[in-house]
């Protein structure tokens, strides 16, 4: 028997409700109202008591035959001692003055994804991450506090272990120790000209993190990926009805009596070339094209690591393998990763280290057209002929003699597309660094770091004779091969000074940095290959079709950086920084710029007058302002290069020469962003309730974009600084520790983000919009501008429709100024924006003894998009392809025997009118959705069981990715509702089983 009292180390008061458990078991007890406990022990010689209480640090005490053990617990404020990467250094969360979102290794890996970006989706307020198309390998896009530029370049700066990269998909999530996302300009200004779109700092696992004992870990899972939430398409019977109705508007009046009768109508949709189609319709003989092309994919991830440390050397090494197969045949990704890091304490004053992450990825995307073609084919068509042989065009089915049995759509057979197409990329990625640190005295530290990033890929694409592209190439194969080699290096030389003077504390950092990047690319393509040798024997193609090209780009950046952090009494915090960048790709006289920032934070909760607010454990007010830049313009835009070959007559002979392909802009300069951020961090009940609120106002000026030029110049456009954009918004994060009593704990996290995006000026003025590019002053960059759909002209509105030059059954639009004329200048309007009105997320984690349960969801509300899916499957001009199973479409009264039906949503097929046909007014959708990202259930075995199996830790778990989506959107998936249909993929659910073991 052991007994004792548990008190607070700060004031000696007893602590009721403290959990005391025997380490490695679930046996335990709790203290009473006086902080007293007692419990029985079976093996007191080996037992270790673990004291746990919310708001205090855990404490472990070996029993060693003691009968009385009193414990004094030290207070901890949850989360405030967490270390955050801020660029060229770290700071504790309690001393942070800017707006930074942080995720640790557990948060990165808990969702069971192969993509690091997908693993943090919905986890950070103000950071919007979404799948581009849903297909494996197509990746995820990320926006931090809205769109800052009118070009497509809203990509943040990625920094992996100090190396600037184009992305982080090459990393294995298991290699990541933490991800810090710098959001406000005072935080990103430390990266100067590259920080406008935010900064994602990835810190991989380092040797310095290792413990003294060598530890081997294995983490792995296997999953099955099933197609889910497939759109409801018309079945054979309904499609046949639609198909017949689609010929009413165009049937020929052969009798010239002004009436389309049943016989004339049948001749129009059936004729003499569709006997097999009629037979299938009458027999309701259909094909499920989903079943023909879709399959269950699979997903697996295996990762083994070893880490350890001696007195002066620490190390970590990890090897990973990831495999994922898509829901179409011939779609897969194989990724092999290797990670190593070594730190060596050479002496008391000198430390050295090295880190390396490399990966090999082979990605096969198969056919870009197969998905599109499969879902376009109507249910009465079959991929095979009567003998079971695949036919090239199911909608152009003929007899052996060439007579048509079906003569409808020319859509190519998707199964043949899949079997005979290849889009293969083999990619080598590597980031590494070596450093040497010298600390002559406690206050001063000198560090030099040399970092290298390497990205080399080969992309080969081929289209066999039995593909749509092959058919368009006289039935012969064609191929293309692209290569790219991207090498960059950074040399950082840093000096730091850290000193306290009484209640004053200073931390200063100076940096000199050199960055250089070299890119070499090449391309070759050919057509008329005599056999399908893919992209490996392109010399056999027709020489007249040979196309080759190559390119070389080189950019460099020189930087000087200074930052000072100051705090007084641990209450008043100031951060000041400035970065001077010189970029080679900007014009003479404009290559250098300065990017200063400042931030102030007041830890109000540390003031003496707050002592009586017992429930308030943390209150910090923050204000920051900073400037960042963007020099992301292609090199050589400021010089005229004679790089385009041409031929001309000289002395009666045809000779070749070179002319410039672009006009130079010799005053091209930096894109700059200024931002004011106001924030509050708060915590109650020893931070059992904690969170932050941020309000920001960001203005991006001198935006780098293409400016149209007058025809008289002889040039179409040039790169110029010609616009400004403002983003304003609010972000909220809230974490609650609802229960924590040892055996049972429950934690929840909420985020909310709202951003308003507006174009402030265009081409140096604030009055005239750029309608051609879809840019409107005072509106969002991604605005949708068009006529507003207003239903369908009904029979009793025929006279009014005629006054607008339209007829019954056509799509109607709003006459904005009610002048009786639909005019593009007066009657088009801003319909909405692709950006959500607001975004949010929710996550919850519960633990009971060895069991753990987690759930994560995120939501986007108020997105207004042009839906590529609906432009294909509700296109009422098309008659031969599959259609979404809509409730009804307009059919007027007729004499052909087709029952009339009335719709105010979909027009009469083949009579949709100009606004439906040419302007696509019916294809917009307001998209709101809530997506359950993952649900996980796991069990961690007791220590004694794990030990008997030769392990120090063992956890098994099941995980489901994307199990539920709540939305009214009836396309493939609301997350990529705005994607072009040709690139989109189906939604899916992944079921995983995994194991985590430590030896």
């Amino acid at each position: 028997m052991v007994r004792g009292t548990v008190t607070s180390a700060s004031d000696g008061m007893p602590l009721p409700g403290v959990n005391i458990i025997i380490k490695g078991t679930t046996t335990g007890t709790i203290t009473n109202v006086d902080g007293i406990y007692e419990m029985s022990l079976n093996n007191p010689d080996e037992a270790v008591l673990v004291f746990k209480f919310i708001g205090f640090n855990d404490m472990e005490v070996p029993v060693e035959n003691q009968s009385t053990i009193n414990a004094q617990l030290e207070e901890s404020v949850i989360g405030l001692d967490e270390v955050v990467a801020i660029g060229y250094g770290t700071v504790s969360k309690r001393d942070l003055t800017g707006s930074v979102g942080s995720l640790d290794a557990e948060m990165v890996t808990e969702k069971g994804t192969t993509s690091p970006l997908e693993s943090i989706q919905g986890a950070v307020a103000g950071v919007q991450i979404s799948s581009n198309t849903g297909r494996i390998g197509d990746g995820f896009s990320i926006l931090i506090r809205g769109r800052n530029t009118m070009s497509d370049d809203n990509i943040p700066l990625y920094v992996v272990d100090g190396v600037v990269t184009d992305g982080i998909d090459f990393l294995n999530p298991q290699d990541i120790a933490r991800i810090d996302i710098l959001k406000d300009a005072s935080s990103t200004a430390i990266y100067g000209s590259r920080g406008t779109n935010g900064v994602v700092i990835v810190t991989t696992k380092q040797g310095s993190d290792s413990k003294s004992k060598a530890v081997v870990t294995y983490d792995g899972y296997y999953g099955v990926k099933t197609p889910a939430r497939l759109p409801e398409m018309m079945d054979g019977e309904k499609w046949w009805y639609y198909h017949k109705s689609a010929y009413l508007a165009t049937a020929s009046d052969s009798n010239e009596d002004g009436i389309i009768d049943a016989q004339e109508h049948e001749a129009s949709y059936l004729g003499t070339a569709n006997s097999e189609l009629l037979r299938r319709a009458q027999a309701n003989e259909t094909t499920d094209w989903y079943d023909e092309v879709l399959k269950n994919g699979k997903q697996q991830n295996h990762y083994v690591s070893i880490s350890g440390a001696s007195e002066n050397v620490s190390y970590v090494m990890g090897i990973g393998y990831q495999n994922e197969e898509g829901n179409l045949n011939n779609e897969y990704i194989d990724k092999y990763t290797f990670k190593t890091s070594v730190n060596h304490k050479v002496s008391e004053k000198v430390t050295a280290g090295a880190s390396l992450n490399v990966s090999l990825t082979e990605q096969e995307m198969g056919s870009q057209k197969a998905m599109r073609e499969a879902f376009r084919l109507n249910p009465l068509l079959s991929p095979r002929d009567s003998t079971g042989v695949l036919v090239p065009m199911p909608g152009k089915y003929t007899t052996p003699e060439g007579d048509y049995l079906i003569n409808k759509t020319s859509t190519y057979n998707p199964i043949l597309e899949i079997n005979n197409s290849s889009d293969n990329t083999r990619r080598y990625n590597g980031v590494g660094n070596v450093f040497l640190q010298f600390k002559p005295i406690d206050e001063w530290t000198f560090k030099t770091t040399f970092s290298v990033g390497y990205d080399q890929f080969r992309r080969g694409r081929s289209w066999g004779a039995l593909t749509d592209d092959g058919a368009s190439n006289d039935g012969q194969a064609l191929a293309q091969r692209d290569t790219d080699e991207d090498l960059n290096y950074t040399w950082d030389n840093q000096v730091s000074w850290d000193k306290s003077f009484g209640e004053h504390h200073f931390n200063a950092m100076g940096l000199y940095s050199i960055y250089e990047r070299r890119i070499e690319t090449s391309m070759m393509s050919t057509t008329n290959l005599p056999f399908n040798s893919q992209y490996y024997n392109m010399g056999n193609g027709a020489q007249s079709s040979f196309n080759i090209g190559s390119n070389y780009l080189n950019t460099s950046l020189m930087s000087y950086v200074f930052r000072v952090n100051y705090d007084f009494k641990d209450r008043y915090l100031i951060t000041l920084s400035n970065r001077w960048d010189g970029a080679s790709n900007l014009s003479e006289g404009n290559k250098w710029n300065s990017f200063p920032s400042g931030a102030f934070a007041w830890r109000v909760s540390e003031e003496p007058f707050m002592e009586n607010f017992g429930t308030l454990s943390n209150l910090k007010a923050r204000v920051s302002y900073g400037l960042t830049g963007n020099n992301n313009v292609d090199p050589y835009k400021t010089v005229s290069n004679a790089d385009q070959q041409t031929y001309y007559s000289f002395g009666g002979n045809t000779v070749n020469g070179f002319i410039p392909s672009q006009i130079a802009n010799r005053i091209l300069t930096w894109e700059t962003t200024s931002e004011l951020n106001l924030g509050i961090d708060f915590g109650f009940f020893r931070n059992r309730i904690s969170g932050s609120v941020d309000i920001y106002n960001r203005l991006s000026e001198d935006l780098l974009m293409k400016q149209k030029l007058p025809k008289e110049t002889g040039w179409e456009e040039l790169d110029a600084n010609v616009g400004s954009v403002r983003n304003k918004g609010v972000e909220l994060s809230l974490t609650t520790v609802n229960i924590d009593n040892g055996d049972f704990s429950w934690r929840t996290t909420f985020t909310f983000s709202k951003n308003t995006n507006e174009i402030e000026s265009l081409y140096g003025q604030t009055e005239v919009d750029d309608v051609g590019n879809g840019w409107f002053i005072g509106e969002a960059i991604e605005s949708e501008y068009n006529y507003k759909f207003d239903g369908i002209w009904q029979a009793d509105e025929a006279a009014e429709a005629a006054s607008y030059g339209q007829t019954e059954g056509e799509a109607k639009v709003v006459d904005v100024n009610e002048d009786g004329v639909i005019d593009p200048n007066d009657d088009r309007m801003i319909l909405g924006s692709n950006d959500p009105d607001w975004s949010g997320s929710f996550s919850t984690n519960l633990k009971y003894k060895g069991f753990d349960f987690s759930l994560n969801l995120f939501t986007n509300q108020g997105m207004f998009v042009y839906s590529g899916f609906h432009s294909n499957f509700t296109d009422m001009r098309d008659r031969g392809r599959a259609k979404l199973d809509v409730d009804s479409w307009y059919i007027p009264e007729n004499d052909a025997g087709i029952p009339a039906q009335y719709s105010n949503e979909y027009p009469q097929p083949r009579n949709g009118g100009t606004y439906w046909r040419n302007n696509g007014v019916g294809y917009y959708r307001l998209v709101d959705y809530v997506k359950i990202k993952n649900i996980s259930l796991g069990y961690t075995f007791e220590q004694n069981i794990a030990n008997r199996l030769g392990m120090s830790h063992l956890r098994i778990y099941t995980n489901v990715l994307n199990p539920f989506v709540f939305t009214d959107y009836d396309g493939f998936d609301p997350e990529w509702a705005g994607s072009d249909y040709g690139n989109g993929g189906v939604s899916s659910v992944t079921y995983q089983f995994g194991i985590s073991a430590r030896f």
Side-chain angles (χ1 to χ4, degrees):
M1 180 73 71
V2 63
R3 57 176 57 86
T5 303
V6 183
T7 59
S8 169
S10 62
D11 56 17
M13 297 296 292
L15 296 175
V18 176
N19 291 277
I20 305 103
I21 61 172
I22 302 172
K23 186 176 181 180
T25 73
T26 57
T27 302
T29 186
I30 62 173
T31 58
N32 62 20
V33 293
D34 297 316
I36 298 172
Y37 74 95
E38 66 176 25
M39 62 189 303
S40 298
L41 303 174
N42 292 328
N43 296 303
D45 292 341
E46 300 178 1
V48 176
L49 299 186
V50 181
F51 297 81
K52 290 176 172 286
F53 191 51
I54 188 71
F56 291 80
N57 294 323
D58 292 354
M59 184 177 182
E60 294 187 7
V61 181
V63 176
E64 297 176 342
N65 284 321
Q66 300 178 78
S67 59
T68 301
I69 297 179
N70 298 321
Q72 287 188 325
L73 301 186
E74 299 283 347
E75 288 192 50
S76 70
V77 183
I78 299 171
L80 293 189
D81 294 326
E82 178 184 350
V83 175
V84 177
I86 55 173
Y88 309 107
T90 59
V91 66
S92 68
K93 195 170 183 180
R94 66 185 291 120
D95 296 330
L96 190 64
T97 57
S99 182
V100 180
S102 301
L103 303 103
D104 60 21
E106 183 179 357
M107 297 176 70
V108 173
T109 58
E110 70 176 355
K111 294 179 184 176
T113 65
T114 56
S115 165
L117 278 182
E118 185 180 8
S119 71
I120 63 174
Q121 191 175 26
V124 180
V127 179
Q128 185 179 353
I129 299 173
S130 57
S131 174
N132 294 326
T133 66
R135 297 183 65 189
I136 65 167
D138 270 355
F140 289 76
S141 61
I142 176 172
L143 275 179
I144 300 176
R145 291 189 169 180
R147 303 176 192 277
N148 297 299
T149 178
M150 284 174 276
S151 69
D152 291 332
D153 180 31
N154 285 281
I155 302 171
L157 177 71
Y158 294 98
V159 182
V160 179
D161 293 341
V163 181
V164 173
T165 67
D166 284 337
I168 57 176
D169 277 347
F170 69 93
L171 293 173
N172 190 319
Q174 297 288 346
D175 281 325
I176 296 173
R178 65 178 301 106
I179 297 177
D180 296 286
I181 302 177
L182 313 187
K183 298 187 289 183
D184 69 316
S186 75
S187 300
T188 62
I190 200 71
Y191 288 99
S193 62
R194 298 175 289 183
T196 285
N197 297 322
V199 181
V200 178
I201 301 176
V202 179
T203 305
T204 63
K205 295 172 181 175
Q206 302 297 307
S208 57
D209 301 326
S210 302
K211 308 301 180 185
S212 58
K213 179 183 176 182
V215 176
V216 178
T217 65
Y218 168 77
D219 291 279
Y221 59 77
Y222 183 88
V224 177
K225 187 174 184 178
T226 63
R229 298 176 289 273
L230 298 173
E232 290 290 331
M233 309 299 285
M234 291 183 184
D235 61 19
E237 184 178 356
K238 189 170 184 178
W239 183 87
W240 183 241
Y241 171 52
Y242 165 82
H243 182 66
K244 291 189 292 183
S245 72
Y247 281 82
L248 279 175
T250 59
S252 176
D253 182 11
S254 58
N255 297 329
E256 298 183 355
D257 56 1
I259 297 174
I260 302 298
D261 58 28
Q263 186 176 359
E264 292 170 323
H265 177 237
E266 182 176 308
S268 68
Y269 71 81
L270 200 58
T272 59
N274 288 287
S275 59
E276 175 64 12
L277 187 68
L278 177 61
R279 186 196 68 77
R280 294 178 185 176
Q282 291 173 339
N284 197 27
E285 186 179 303
T286 62
T287 297
D288 188 329
W289 286 100
Y290 286 157
D291 286 346
E292 289 289 344
V293 300
L294 295 178
K295 68 179 182 68
N296 289 339
K298 68 178 183 180
Q299 185 184 75
Q300 57 181 315
N301 187 11
H302 305 282
Y303 182 82
V304 178
S305 72
I306 181 171
S307 61
S310 62
E311 183 178 355
N312 295 316
V313 178
S314 57
Y315 63 91
V316 62
M317 182 171 66
I319 300 174
Y321 169 67
Q322 294 176 339
N323 168 263
E324 187 170 2
E325 293 182 1
N327 294 124
L328 286 179
N329 278 319
N330 204 26
E331 282 188 356
Y332 65 85
I333 296 176
D334 281 319
K335 182 162 71 175
Y336 306 86
T337 61
F338 174 75
K339 157 74 186 176
T340 186
S341 174
V342 179
N343 280 45
H344 182 205
K345 185 179 179 182
V346 181
S347 68
E348 290 299 321
K349 299 181 182 297
V350 179
T351 304
S355 178
L356 178 67
N357 291 272
V358 295
S359 69
L360 165 62
T361 304
E362 180 156 347
Q363 175 178 326
E364 176 60 64
M365 294 296 291
S367 171
Q368 293 291 328
K369 294 183 178 181
M371 187 81 74
R372 180 189 70 187
E373 308 292 42
F375 300 144
R376 278 181 170 178
L377 288 167
N378 73 66
L380 296 183
L381 301 179
S382 171
R384 300 169 184 84
D385 64 17
S386 57
T387 65
V389 176
L390 293 170
V391 295
M393 295 183 186
K396 298 289 184 182
Y397 182 37
T398 64
T399 65
E401 294 75 29
D403 297 325
Y404 279 111
L405 298 174
I406 301 176
N407 186 14
K408 294 296 179 180
T409 177
S410 58
T411 298
Y412 209 82
N413 191 328
I415 302 176
L416 288 173
E417 280 282 350
I418 292 170
N419 294 343
N420 294 280
S421 298
S422 179
D423 184 356
N424 184 278
T425 298
R426 181 179 292 122
R427 191 174 210 124
Y428 297 90
N429 287 94
V431 295
N433 66 66
V434 293
F435 77 88
L436 180 67
Q437 181 173 294
F438 175 54
K439 194 169 187 176
I441 56 177
D442 287 342
E443 294 88 356
W444 290 94
T445 303
F446 300 89
K447 184 178 182 181
T448 182
T449 305
F450 186 79
S451 308
V452 176
Y454 183 71
D455 181 1
Q456 187 272 335
F457 76 84
R458 181 272 300 147
R459 182 184 184 188
R461 288 177 286 174
S462 65
W463 303 267
L466 292 177
T467 63
D468 186 42
D469 291 276
S472 301
N473 188 44
D474 296 326
Q476 291 185 296
L478 56 159
Q480 179 171 329
R481 181 186 176 103
D482 301 276
T483 61
D484 186 297
E485 184 180 66
D486 186 342
L487 175 69
N488 73 76
Y489 74 85
T490 305
W491 186 21
D492 292 332
N493 294 279
Q494 182 176 339
V495 57
S496 302
W497 176 70
D498 191 278
K499 183 71 174 178
S500 295
F501 301 93
E503 295 180 317
H504 303 271
H505 177 248
F506 293 89
N507 180 282
M509 182 273 293
L511 177 81
Y512 169 65
S513 178
I514 298 173
Y515 169 83
E516 185 169 350
R517 183 180 189 183
R518 186 191 70 201
I519 302 174
E520 297 181 28
T521 64
S522 63
M523 181 276 294
M524 63 179 74
S525 66
T526 185
T527 62
N528 302 103
L529 287 165
F531 39 81
N532 187 13
S533 56
Q534 295 189 335
Y535 37 82
Y536 294 115
N537 196 3
M538 297 173 63
N540 284 331
Q543 292 188 14
S544 60
S545 72
F546 288 173
N547 185 19
I548 60 173
S550 61
N551 198 15
Y552 172 83
L553 299 174
N554 186 286
T555 60
S556 59
L557 186 74
M558 181 182 291
S559 307
Y560 301 91
V561 183
F562 175 75
R563 178 175 62 209
V564 59
N565 294 307
Y566 165 74
D567 76 73
F568 176 59
K569 292 186 175 182
D570 200 27
R571 301 176 201 164
Y572 313 107
L573 312 170
I574 296 176
T575 300
L576 299 173
S577 73
N578 198 8
R579 179 169 181 137
W580 295 266
D581 276 344
S584 65
N585 52 333
L586 296 177
S587 61
E588 292 295 332
N590 294 296
K591 292 184 181 296
W592 284 90
N593 209 345
S594 171
F595 303 96
S597 75
F600 170 75
W602 176 25
R603 300 197 69 233
V604 184
S605 54
E606 298 301 308
E607 295 289 353
F609 61 78
M610 297 296 293
E611 291 180 356
N612 294 327
F613 293 86
T615 59
L616 183 67
S617 50
N618 177 46
L619 180 62
K620 181 171 67 175
R622 296 178 279 106
V623 59
S624 65
Y625 182 82
L627 297 178
T628 58
N630 186 356
N631 67 341
N632 197 9
V633 62
D634 290 338
Y636 321 124
K637 291 294 184 180
T638 62
V639 294
S640 293
N641 292 324
D643 56 354
Q644 182 173 315
Q645 190 174 24
T646 189
Y647 294 87
Y648 64 97
S649 176
F650 181 78
N653 297 315
T654 299
V655 296
N656 70 318
F658 294 87
I659 60 174
S661 61
Q662 65 183 17
I663 185 173
N665 184 346
R666 301 191 184 279
I667 60 171
L668 196 66
T669 187
W670 300 88
E671 182 178 296
T672 58
T673 295
S674 59
E675 182 176 9
L676 175 67
N677 191 97
L678 304 176
I680 294 177
D681 301 329
F682 58 87
F684 298 93
F685 309 108
R686 291 195 177 94
N687 269 24
R688 292 191 67 157
I689 300 175
S690 63
S692 64
V693 179
D694 282 88
I695 300 172
Y696 60 89
N697 191 333
R698 171 188 290 176
L699 178 64
S700 300
E701 300 178 282
D702 294 326
L703 297 186
L704 295 164
M705 53 188 288
K706 303 288 186 183
Q707 181 175 7
K708 300 293 184 183
L709 297 176
K711 292 183 178 179
E712 291 80 2
T713 65
W715 305 94
E716 291 185 3
E717 59 187 19
L718 88 162
D719 289 270
N721 303 98
V722 288
S724 62
V725 170
R726 185 178 299 277
N727 285 280
K728 296 184 292 185
V730 59
E731 300 165 356
L732 169 66
S733 296
L734 179 67
T735 298
T736 62
V737 181
N738 308 307
I739 300 173
D740 192 349
N741 62 11
D743 282 347
F744 183 58
S745 65
W746 177 26
R747 179 186 295 257
T748 55
T749 300
F750 306 84
T751 70
F752 171 84
S753 309
K754 181 176 177 60
N755 182 77
T756 302
N757 175 261
E758 291 183 359
I759 297 174
E760 294 270 309
S761 66
L762 290 168
Y763 314 118
Q765 54 83 44
T766 59
E767 300 295 330
V768 182
D769 300 323
D770 184 346
V771 179
N773 281 314
W775 296 329
F776 302 89
I777 295 169
E779 302 291 344
I781 294 174
E782 292 293 313
S783 292
E784 296 290 352
Y785 178 74
N786 207 337
Y787 300 104
K788 183 177 181 180
F789 178 59
D790 196 31
I792 307 299
W793 289 111
Q794 304 296 310
D796 58 0
E797 298 175 309
E800 185 181 359
S803 70
Y804 285 98
Q806 294 190 261
T807 62
E808 171 194 354
E810 293 185 347
K812 177 170 43 172
V813 297
V814 174
D815 182 1
V816 176
N817 59 2
E818 299 181 345
D819 64 351
V821 178
I822 302 299
D823 182 86
N825 295 321
D826 298 327
D827 296 310
R828 288 187 294 177
M829 66 178 74
I830 300 295
L831 301 174
S833 167
N834 294 179
D835 301 323
D837 289 339
W838 64 272
S839 302
S841 68
F842 167 79
S843 64
T844 186
N845 298 82
L846 296 94
K847 294 182 179 180
Y848 178 69
K849 294 187 176 180
F851 291 95
D852 60 87
F853 172 85
S854 66
L855 178 147
N856 297 273
L857 67 82
F858 69 95
T859 180
N860 284 304
Q861 299 289 317
M863 298 190 305
F864 191 85
V865 304
Y866 182 86
S867 173
F869 174 87
H870 289 88
S871 72
N872 271 267
F873 296 117
T874 61
D875 178 8
M876 296 298 161
R877 188 167 62 100
D878 172 71
R879 299 184 287 206
R881 294 173 178 165
K883 288 288 172 284
L884 185 67
D885 189 13
V886 299
D887 291 335
S888 64
W889 57 94
Y890 196 89
I891 301 177
E893 296 287 346
N894 61 85
D895 296 295
I898 303 296
Q901 62 182 29
Y902 303 98
S903 172
N904 208 34
E905 188 175 2
Y906 295 101
Q908 180 184 2
R910 212 64 173 189
N911 184 40
T914 183
Y915 306 113
W916 190 278
R917 180 179 66 250
N918 298 325
N919 300 100
V921 296
Y923 305 139
Y924 292 98
R925 293 294 183 273
L926 181 63
V927 179
D928 304 315
Y929 69 92
V930 176
K931 177 172 281 192
I932 308 293
K933 187 61 186 177
N934 83 300
I935 301 174
S936 177
L937 176 64
Y939 180 74
T940 301
F941 288 85
E942 292 188 10
Q943 191 74 47
N944 57 352
I945 297 177
N947 291 341
R948 286 201 296 269
L949 296 173
M951 306 176 190
S952 59
H953 169 83
L954 176 61
R955 176 178 178 262
I956 59 174
Y957 63 90
T958 60
N959 187 39
V960 185
L961 285 169
N962 304 313
F964 304 107
V965 178
F966 304 98
T967 184
D968 290 332
Y969 180 74
D970 53 359
F972 285 137
D973 193 292
E975 189 175 342
W976 51 89
S979 297
D980 179 75
Y981 168 67
N983 296 323
V986 299
S987 186
S988 63
V989 177
T990 303
Y991 304 90
Q992 296 174 339
F993 175 79
I995 182 172
S996 176
R998 189 161 58 242
F999 302 87

